[in-house]
Amino acid sequence: MRVAIALTIAGCSDKGRPMTTLAPKSDLAQWIQNLYIDVTLWDALVFIIVVTAFVLALFVFSTRVGEAAPATTASSDLGLEIAWTLGPVLILLMITIPTIRTIFRSQPAVAPTGALEIKVVAHQWWWEFDYPDGAKASNELHIPVNRPIRLSLESADVIHSFWVPQLGGKRDVVPGQINELTFIANVVGMYPGQCAEFCGLSHANMRFRTFVDSPDDFAKWDRDQLAGPVATPASDQLASDGAKVFADSPCTTCHMIQGISKGYIGPDLTHFGSRTTLAAGVLKNTPENVAKWIEDPQEIKPGANMPPLLLPGPKLDALVAYLESLK
Ligand code: CUA
């Protein structure tokens, strides 16, 4: 039965359903899935008992027209009383004990040995990821496969909730408090995430991606992030012009590009060109989308703090070329 249910669930594969909670790719997600199967099996048992009793009452033990009502035996049978009290108690225990065990197992008080500890800061409406070695990322979290990960979740403003369905359950991100999420991702791949607590106008646009990398890929990504921005080649005239447009623009107030600007209100753009998405996972990172975003952020993400940048076409093209060159 257990195997049958596991197979059925495996049939709900993640292909084409990236937000499925039924295709676990981490130890934490697997524990939750096991618990889910257990509880479902006990629920099924209760359902079968209740429906069977109901059908028997309807068709077997009911009185026909003209028949005398059967004698009642209310509370006279002590054995029966004990049985139907103890039965439900046992079933509840079989559900409660694994649930509590999973809750504690999923929230270890200290980070496991060798864990990579990453600070996650939720903002209206984007995600900041700070690595212990100084690497920074926005809206795209990179983690190594098969290594314990310890996320400490903080909020810069209101309550958010960190959720990558295939990697485990939601965890609230609460201002003035640090919540933790500990897991080991065990399958390389890209897993989309989404803020799961209503946090204002663009709550639905507060998405992100988690890349579970092989150890080598992760080490390379980490090195690239730490290396600072790739210098814009002088031969790339458009991007070089764009660097000047950026330096003279109000963008510098909110955005950091290492060695160029020191803003910290919005995402760090030092490696913007290496990301696959922009605007917190809402758009694919293509020059057309970057231009659209810079021209009118509110159109894409209502309520976003970023004001529209009114740039004449050639300057906009140059700025976009520069941002895309920041690998
Ligand atoms: Cu952040 Cu919803």
Side-chain angles (χ1 to χ4, degrees):
M1 181 74 168
R2 211 169 201 289
V3 174
I5 289 189
L7 283 176
T8 312
I9 287 173
C12 311
S13 84
D14 51 318
K15 297 277 170 294
R17 287 187 220 88
M19 298 301 278
T20 180
T21 52
L22 300 177
K25 301 292 190 308
S26 77
D27 56 349
L28 173 62
Q30 188 62 55
W31 300 336
I32 295 171
Q33 168 122 321
N34 294 348
L35 181 64
Y36 173 65
I37 293 176
D38 277 353
V39 172
T40 306
L41 284 177
W42 287 109
D43 288 352
L45 179 67
V46 171
F47 179 78
I48 290 167
I49 294 171
V50 169
V51 168
T52 308
F54 180 66
V55 170
L56 286 177
L58 272 185
F59 296 106
V60 181
F61 298 117
S62 62
T63 41
R64 304 290 182 277
V65 177
E67 261 179 13
T72 53
T73 55
S75 301
S76 60
D77 189 331
L78 187 62
L80 213 53
E81 288 285 340
I82 291 174
W84 64 47
T85 305
L86 271 187
V89 166
L90 283 178
I91 290 178
L92 281 180
L93 278 179
M94 297 307 280
I95 291 174
T96 309
I97 292 171
T99 302
I100 293 177
R101 211 164 42 196
T102 306
I103 289 173
F104 279 93
R105 195 178 182 191
S106 71
Q107 309 209 44
V110 289
T113 23
L116 174 62
E117 300 190 46
I118 305 170
K119 184 166 104 171
V120 177
V121 187
H123 301 257
Q124 280 175 314
W125 292 277
W126 60 283
W127 299 90
E128 173 187 342
F129 305 115
D130 298 327
Y131 292 73
D133 59 6
K136 274 174 173 293
S138 303
N139 302 320
E140 297 197 354
L141 173 67
H142 282 256
I143 54 173
V145 72
N146 292 332
R147 176 172 168 193
I149 304 297
R150 174 84 151 181
L151 303 180
S152 45
L153 307 161
E154 299 174 24
S155 170
D157 35 54
V158 300
I159 302 178
H160 303 270
S161 184
F162 182 94
W163 187 37
V164 185
Q166 295 190 58
L167 296 181
K170 300 164 186 170
R171 183 100 353 129
D172 276 4
V173 188
V174 182
Q177 180 179 327
I178 296 176
N179 284 351
E180 259 129 10
L181 192 62
T182 310
F183 61 92
I184 301 175
N186 42 35
V187 183
V188 168
M190 191 283 284
Y191 306 107
Q194 163 76 52
C195 176
E197 178 73 43
F198 181 71
C199 56
L201 262 190
S202 272
H203 155 68
N205 298 323
M206 191 169 166
R207 304 171 207 169
F208 60 103
R209 292 180 160 196
T210 301
F211 292 87
V212 176
D213 296 331
S214 69
D216 287 349
D217 285 352
F218 178 74
K220 182 184 179 304
W221 175 85
D222 193 42
R223 266 199 313 275
D224 289 349
Q225 300 303 304
L226 287 173
V230 175
T232 307
S235 58
D236 189 342
Q237 193 55 49
L238 196 59
S240 305
D241 290 350
K244 288 186 208 97
V245 174
F246 181 84
D248 294 336
S249 75
C251 311
T252 52
T253 328
C254 297
H255 292 285
M256 157 110 55
I257 292 182
Q258 278 168 42
I260 291 160
S261 63
K262 292 201 166 80
Y264 57 87
I265 308 280
D268 186 315
L269 300 178
T270 308
H271 295 280
F272 176 79
S274 69
R275 291 183 210 143
T276 61
T277 55
L278 71 131
V282 175
L283 296 175
K284 280 212 167 70
N285 188 357
T286 64
E288 299 74 47
N289 283 339
V290 177
K292 219 158 67 175
W293 169 251
I294 294 173
E295 278 191 303
D296 194 357
Q298 314 293 322
E299 174 71 24
I300 292 155
K301 212 195 262 183
N305 279 331
M306 179 161 152
L309 196 62
L310 305 167
L311 279 181
K315 281 194 165 184
L316 180 62
D317 291 345
L319 179 58
V320 169
Y322 170 60
L323 290 173
E324 294 289 35
S325 77
L326 298 170
K327 296 290 181 189

mmCIF file of all heavy atoms in Angstrom, residues 125 159-161 195-199 203 206, ligand 1:
data_model
loop_
_atom_site.group_PDB
_atom_site.id
_atom_site.type_symbol
_atom_site.label_atom_id
_atom_site.label_comp_id
_atom_site.label_asym_id
_atom_site.label_seq_id
_atom_site.Cartn_x
_atom_site.Cartn_y
_atom_site.Cartn_z
ATOM 1 N N TRP A 125 10.188 43.856 -2.954
ATOM 2 C CA TRP A 125 9.796 42.481 -3.130
ATOM 3 C C TRP A 125 10.916 41.762 -3.849
ATOM 4 O O TRP A 125 10.854 41.547 -5.045
ATOM 5 C CB TRP A 125 8.479 42.403 -3.924
ATOM 6 C CG TRP A 125 7.318 42.950 -3.142
ATOM 7 C CD1 TRP A 125 6.594 42.261 -2.203
ATOM 8 C CD2 TRP A 125 6.756 44.257 -3.178
ATOM 9 N NE1 TRP A 125 5.614 43.075 -1.652
ATOM 10 C CE2 TRP A 125 5.694 44.315 -2.238
ATOM 11 C CE3 TRP A 125 7.053 45.411 -3.878
ATOM 12 C CZ2 TRP A 125 4.937 45.452 -2.006
ATOM 13 C CZ3 TRP A 125 6.298 46.547 -3.645
ATOM 14 C CH2 TRP A 125 5.253 46.548 -2.716
ATOM 15 N N ILE A 159 6.351 40.788 7.102
ATOM 16 C CA ILE A 159 6.478 39.332 7.164
ATOM 17 C C ILE A 159 6.415 38.745 5.752
ATOM 18 O O ILE A 159 5.515 39.056 4.972
ATOM 19 C CB ILE A 159 5.346 38.707 8.021
ATOM 20 C CG1 ILE A 159 5.374 39.283 9.443
ATOM 21 C CG2 ILE A 159 5.501 37.187 8.084
ATOM 22 C CD1 ILE A 159 4.261 38.749 10.335
ATOM 23 N N HIS A 160 7.397 37.929 5.422
ATOM 24 C CA HIS A 160 7.414 37.187 4.164
ATOM 25 C C HIS A 160 7.481 35.697 4.525
ATOM 26 O O HIS A 160 7.510 35.344 5.711
ATOM 27 C CB HIS A 160 8.639 37.555 3.329
ATOM 28 C CG HIS A 160 8.760 39.019 3.018
ATOM 29 N ND1 HIS A 160 8.219 39.588 1.904
ATOM 30 C CD2 HIS A 160 9.362 40.035 3.691
ATOM 31 C CE1 HIS A 160 8.494 40.894 1.881
ATOM 32 N NE2 HIS A 160 9.182 41.193 2.963
ATOM 33 N N SER A 161 7.522 34.837 3.521
ATOM 34 C CA SER A 161 7.710 33.419 3.806
ATOM 35 C C SER A 161 8.545 32.781 2.697
ATOM 36 O O SER A 161 8.235 32.928 1.518
ATOM 37 C CB SER A 161 6.354 32.722 3.934
ATOM 38 O OG SER A 161 6.542 31.373 4.303
ATOM 39 N N CYS A 195 7.607 33.766 -2.512
ATOM 40 C CA CYS A 195 7.208 34.240 -1.190
ATOM 41 C C CYS A 195 5.802 33.702 -0.929
ATOM 42 O O CYS A 195 4.929 33.776 -1.776
ATOM 43 C CB CYS A 195 7.201 35.761 -1.134
ATOM 44 S SG CYS A 195 6.596 36.399 0.444
ATOM 45 N N ALA A 196 5.596 33.131 0.261
ATOM 46 C CA ALA A 196 4.328 32.455 0.529
ATOM 47 C C ALA A 196 3.533 33.123 1.646
ATOM 48 O O ALA A 196 2.692 32.499 2.277
ATOM 49 C CB ALA A 196 4.588 30.985 0.866
ATOM 50 N N GLU A 197 3.823 34.394 1.910
ATOM 51 C CA GLU A 197 3.051 35.126 2.921
ATOM 52 C C GLU A 197 2.697 36.463 2.296
ATOM 53 O O GLU A 197 3.594 37.167 1.814
ATOM 54 C CB GLU A 197 3.909 35.335 4.179
ATOM 55 C CG GLU A 197 3.251 36.126 5.273
ATOM 56 C CD GLU A 197 2.166 35.345 5.995
ATOM 57 O OE1 GLU A 197 2.392 34.161 6.295
ATOM 58 O OE2 GLU A 197 1.098 35.923 6.255
ATOM 59 N N PHE A 198 1.409 36.824 2.311
ATOM 60 C CA PHE A 198 1.020 38.072 1.651
ATOM 61 C C PHE A 198 1.795 39.239 2.254
ATOM 62 O O PHE A 198 1.768 39.440 3.464
ATOM 63 C CB PHE A 198 -0.480 38.311 1.759
ATOM 64 C CG PHE A 198 -0.888 39.576 1.065
ATOM 65 C CD1 PHE A 198 -0.879 39.651 -0.316
ATOM 66 C CD2 PHE A 198 -1.231 40.703 1.787
ATOM 67 C CE1 PHE A 198 -1.202 40.832 -0.972
ATOM 68 C CE2 PHE A 198 -1.565 41.886 1.145
ATOM 69 C CZ PHE A 198 -1.552 41.944 -0.238
ATOM 70 N N CYS A 199 2.492 39.998 1.392
ATOM 71 C CA CYS A 199 3.405 41.022 1.904
ATOM 72 C C CYS A 199 3.245 42.334 1.155
ATOM 73 O O CYS A 199 4.147 43.160 1.141
ATOM 74 C CB CYS A 199 4.842 40.521 1.822
ATOM 75 S SG CYS A 199 5.330 40.006 0.166
ATOM 76 N N HIS A 203 3.392 40.952 -3.808
ATOM 77 C CA HIS A 203 3.671 39.659 -3.168
ATOM 78 C C HIS A 203 3.815 38.533 -4.197
ATOM 79 O O HIS A 203 4.744 37.731 -4.150
ATOM 80 C CB HIS A 203 2.549 39.347 -2.170
ATOM 81 C CG HIS A 203 2.347 37.909 -1.888
ATOM 82 N ND1 HIS A 203 3.268 37.157 -1.203
ATOM 83 C CD2 HIS A 203 1.329 37.069 -2.204
ATOM 84 C CE1 HIS A 203 2.818 35.911 -1.115
ATOM 85 N NE2 HIS A 203 1.658 35.834 -1.713
ATOM 86 N N MET A 206 7.160 38.179 -5.986
ATOM 87 C CA MET A 206 8.359 38.003 -5.156
ATOM 88 C C MET A 206 8.841 36.563 -5.307
ATOM 89 O O MET A 206 8.700 35.739 -4.426
ATOM 90 C CB MET A 206 8.036 38.337 -3.700
ATOM 91 C CG MET A 206 9.269 38.441 -2.838
ATOM 92 S SD MET A 206 8.851 39.128 -1.241
ATOM 93 C CE MET A 206 10.350 38.723 -0.337
HETATM 94 CU CU1 CUA B 1 7.099 38.639 0.392
HETATM 95 CU CU2 CUA B 1 4.905 37.833 -0.061
#
